[in-house]
Amino acid sequence: MSKPDAGGASAPASNFIRHIVENDLTRGTYATRRWSGHPGPASVQARAQPDAQRIRTRFPPEPNGYLHIGHAKSICLNFGLARDFGGVCHMRFDDTNPTREEQEYVDSILDAVRWLGFDWGANLYYASDYFETLYRFAEAFVEHGLAYVDSLTAQQTRELRGTLTEPGRDSPYRTRSVAENLDLFRRMRAGEFADGAHVLRLKIDMASPNINLRDPVIYRIRHVHHHRTGDAWCVYPMYDYTHCISDALENITHSICTLEFEDHRPLYDWVLERLADFGLLVRPLPHQYEFARLNLGYVVLSKRKLIQLVEDKHVDGWDDPRLPTLAGYRRRGYTPEAFRLFTDRIGVSKENSSIDLSVLEEALRDDLNERAPRRMAVLDPLRLIIDNYPAGAEEQCQAPNHPQRPEWGKRDLPFSRELWIERDDFMVTPPKGFFRLTPGAQVRLRFGFVIRCTGHDQDADGNVTAVHCEYHPDSKSGTPGADTYKVKGNIHWVSVGHAHPAEVRLFERLFNVASPGTGDHDFLLDLDPHSRRTITGRLEPSLAAAQPEDRFQFERHGYFCADSVDSTPGAPVFNRAVTLKDSRGR
Ligand code: ATP
Ligand code: MG
């Protein structure tokens, strides 16, 4: 069965970042770029040669959690720019924070980016590969009198930092000599001092209105094991210092990050400009651009909170289908095409805003509507008995696999005297406008016969236990004359004797308020205890063979995906990815 690419096929709308890239390519901003000859690792030099015609972007996650839908926006933006402008996007792990990082996260991140449909080729990098270069550059700052070893306590440092409205004050260690600084910094690296005894700070301006420029710390002592460098280091560089240099070493042209880094841009530029002045980097230097991060209502994207949900077992793991992680969305049944379509639709801007979850769901519906084969499944079964159909007899009805794709063919649906129908497709006393089964009414059994309801059974409490009907033998769908029956209702069904009972999981939002944890109460209090409901569905027989990750539209119910962990051919387990219509507005 062919699976045409529904999502992401149209060109993404233009945005301010695309304009910048177009301008840079027209003006040849990077045309004069030559390999800087900086002392970065040779393997990077070999792979990231500057090229006048190419932009280079990067996606730089910290491997301290699984990727979520916010990261998908950044991935689609960075890899999408490279794809659309003939450039390259680097996959770079920003792994400078040793205690929180793990190989499991690295693997899951690579997996998620690949799943979204992007390829970094040979351009996989780790900031930890630059530790030696970063250290040497730091010594250069010391030698030029632009960095010093500070020995204040954390408390004293805070006191001198100042506030948004008050300037900071100089540390008494700010005037240490170059020789003393160099000696101390080397001994920091050699492991002579305990954690926290000293830090290395840039010497910029303690009175700057921008707090990021008040002598930022660029190295601290941490005697901890690193997932890649082991115990080779006990001084680790800080994010702001590492990030800009990593960009420069990889010849990144457009370094795109979220808005909260806008105030860090002067520091980004300051570090790179000084290194270029020292002759350690070559201009033009990479430039940082900021865009608004993705926020979604009813969804928590903070890594700290996601880790808490997983570690304290409020969900079943990082790939729980209720989580906004890419692993969770994937398991639930989301497609990469839906994510690409979603990110194209929400666009890129500089205004922070919150996107409604329905935009994502609509992207998934639009994608799966094109690509998901149709099937029948009864989720809340009620027995329908066709009294004039011979007991023990059966026949096949034919149903198209997709209403707009005749080339996908048809499948057989076994029909017999007893069928499952949906409980809410029958009402004893219906409201006005109810066109499904009621005593005396006629409906079509989808792809089958027209029936007329003749009665129902109920138990002592008045619950309906079975519905009785008669069928019109000459009304079978697809046979001559079937169209002479005009009915308003059309309901789905599955033969009782042929139905495959299977676990079906229905999901609601994980939280029951739009902004979990607002005020000072714990966000965990906003968890919806009913966010997952497990039922036994009655599936048409062909669904029994579903492979993990196969996706279908269950007619009139929504899109469902065979679970990647618990489902096996013969014993399928289905997750509902999304309903057919946005029902929350009702
Ligand atoms: P942390 O607090 O650990 O830094 P983070 O969500 O920023 O969390 P990173 O691993 O640093 O995680 O993110 C990698 C990249 O993804 C960054 O470039 C970041 O700007 C981008 N990113 C993260 N969250 C979002 C979001 N909600 N919307 C858009 N981009 C995001
Ligand atoms: Mg970050």
Side-chain angles (χ1 to χ4, degrees), residues 31-175:
T32 58
R33 209 146 192 240
R34 291 290 170 270
W35 184 253
S36 47
H38 60 64
S43 73
V44 179
Q45 301 200 15
R47 285 176 287 165
Q49 287 287 343
D51 174 339
Q53 300 309 317
R54 271 178 202 273
I55 59 153
R56 275 181 195 272
T57 55
R58 84 287 171 268
F59 173 64
E62 189 179 340
N64 62 350
Y66 277 55
L67 296 185
H68 56 60
I69 182 170
H71 296 115
K73 178 177 180 182
S74 175
I75 294 166
C76 291
L77 176 61
N78 281 296
F79 279 93
L81 284 171
R83 177 197 58 206
D84 296 344
F85 291 98
V88 179
C89 182
H90 291 191
M91 179 72 221
R92 182 201 308 147
F93 286 102
D94 172 20
D95 58 349
T96 52
N97 196 352
T99 45
R100 301 199 320 224
E101 293 154 5
E102 288 171 29
Q103 189 61 37
E104 178 196 349
Y105 295 137
V106 170
D107 296 339
S108 75
I109 288 169
L110 294 177
D111 205 44
V113 176
R114 243 184 253 117
W115 177 71
L116 278 177
F118 297 109
D119 182 8
W120 51 88
N123 292 296
L124 173 61
Y125 303 93
Y126 293 84
S128 56
D129 286 346
Y130 311 143
F131 279 168
E132 189 62 44
T133 309
L134 290 161
Y135 176 84
R136 274 193 275 156
F137 284 7
E139 283 203 349
F141 277 109
V142 174
E143 283 160 358
H144 285 84
L146 290 177
Y148 60 100
V149 173
D150 201 357
S151 312
L152 295 175
T153 62
Q155 172 63 22
Q156 291 168 325
T157 305
R158 256 194 307 280
E159 283 164 16
L160 293 182
R161 190 182 298 132
T163 63
L164 284 174
T165 48
E166 278 170 53
R169 281 168 291 141
D170 289 358
S171 160
Y173 301 103
R174 201 177 197 261
T175 50

Side-chain angles (χ1 to χ4, degrees), residues 262-274:
E262 198 164 11
D263 289 347
H264 297 235
R265 184 170 4 109
L267 176 57
Y268 184 104
D269 291 339
W270 190 93
V271 169
L272 295 189
E273 291 292 346
R274 294 296 84 70

Side-chain angles (χ1 to χ4, degrees), residues 259-407:
L259 278 181
E260 58 293 6
F261 289 97
E262 198 164 11
D263 289 347
H264 297 235
R265 184 170 4 109
L267 176 57
Y268 184 104
D269 291 339
W270 190 93
V271 169
L272 295 189
E273 291 292 346
R274 294 296 84 70
L275 289 169
D277 292 346
F278 303 162
L280 293 170
L281 295 175
V282 164
R283 295 183 176 87
L285 296 162
H287 198 285
Q288 174 182 305
Y289 302 94
E290 306 87 15
F291 72 102
R293 69 194 294 115
L294 174 68
N295 301 304
L296 280 169
Y298 295 91
V299 170
V300 152
L301 293 181
S302 139
K303 275 191 195 160
R304 184 180 58 75
K305 290 180 179 167
L306 292 175
I307 289 174
Q308 197 178 343
L309 288 172
V310 172
E311 288 186 348
D312 298 349
K313 304 211 181 330
H314 299 287
V315 293
D316 289 343
W318 284 103
D319 63 353
D320 188 299
R322 294 166 296 176
L323 283 182
T325 54
L326 295 180
Y329 280 118
R330 176 178 181 176
R331 187 166 174 193
R332 180 153 170 171
Y334 272 74
T335 60
E337 290 81 358
F339 277 100
R340 299 204 298 263
L341 194 57
F342 169 70
T343 50
D344 287 350
R345 285 180 180 171
I346 60 173
V348 180
S349 83
K350 274 188 128 17
E351 301 300 319
N352 269 319
S353 66
S354 183
I355 302 285
D356 199 289
L357 211 50
S358 63
V359 182
L360 176 66
E361 294 178 343
E362 199 54 26
L364 182 63
R365 286 187 196 104
D366 288 347
D367 180 37
L368 288 183
N369 178 43
E370 301 282 325
R371 303 197 299 145
R374 283 15 180 200
R375 292 292 182 265
M376 297 221 276
V378 173
L379 299 186
D380 186 9
L382 174 63
R383 192 179 293 264
L384 177 80
I385 302 165
I386 307 168
D387 290 303
N388 63 339
Y389 195 88
E394 64 175 74
E395 64 190 279
Q396 302 296 333
C397 297
Q398 270 83 45
N401 286 316
H402 193 287
Q404 282 88 44
R405 296 184 188 281
E407 71 278 13

Side-chain angles (χ1 to χ4, degrees), residues 457-517:
D457 302 334
Q458 58 187 46
D459 64 15
D461 300 327
N463 300 310
V464 176
T465 53
V467 177
H468 289 270
C469 69
E470 288 179 348
Y471 85 120
H472 299 289
D474 58 349
S475 66
K476 191 174 185 178
S477 285
T479 61
D483 298 349
T484 55
Y485 289 88
K486 299 290 177 219
V487 291
K488 285 193 174 157
N490 198 322
I491 66 174
H492 65 274
W493 53 275
V494 175
S495 164
V496 170
H498 303 86
H500 191 95
E503 181 176 327
V504 177
R505 299 163 182 171
L506 307 175
F507 305 104
E508 299 295 334
R509 293 161 169 158
L510 189 53
F511 294 95
N512 46 33
V513 299
S515 309

Side-chain angles (χ1 to χ4, degrees), residues 408-467:
W408 285 13
K410 293 187 173 187
R411 66 194 191 281
D412 283 342
L413 296 172
F415 185 88
S416 66
R417 178 183 161 93
E418 294 200 7
L419 309 177
W420 294 121
I421 61 168
E422 222 54 70
R423 182 162 288 277
D424 65 6
D425 279 340
F426 174 76
M427 285 188 96
V428 182
T429 41
K432 205 165 170 286
F434 183 86
F435 297 121
R436 291 165 281 162
L437 268 188
T438 63
Q442 297 211 116
V443 298
R444 177 172 291 285
L445 294 168
R446 209 157 161 67
F447 311 120
F449 296 89
V450 172
I451 55 168
R452 190 174 60 82
C453 180
T454 54
H456 65 278
D457 302 334
Q458 58 187 46
D459 64 15
D461 300 327
N463 300 310
V464 176
T465 53
V467 177

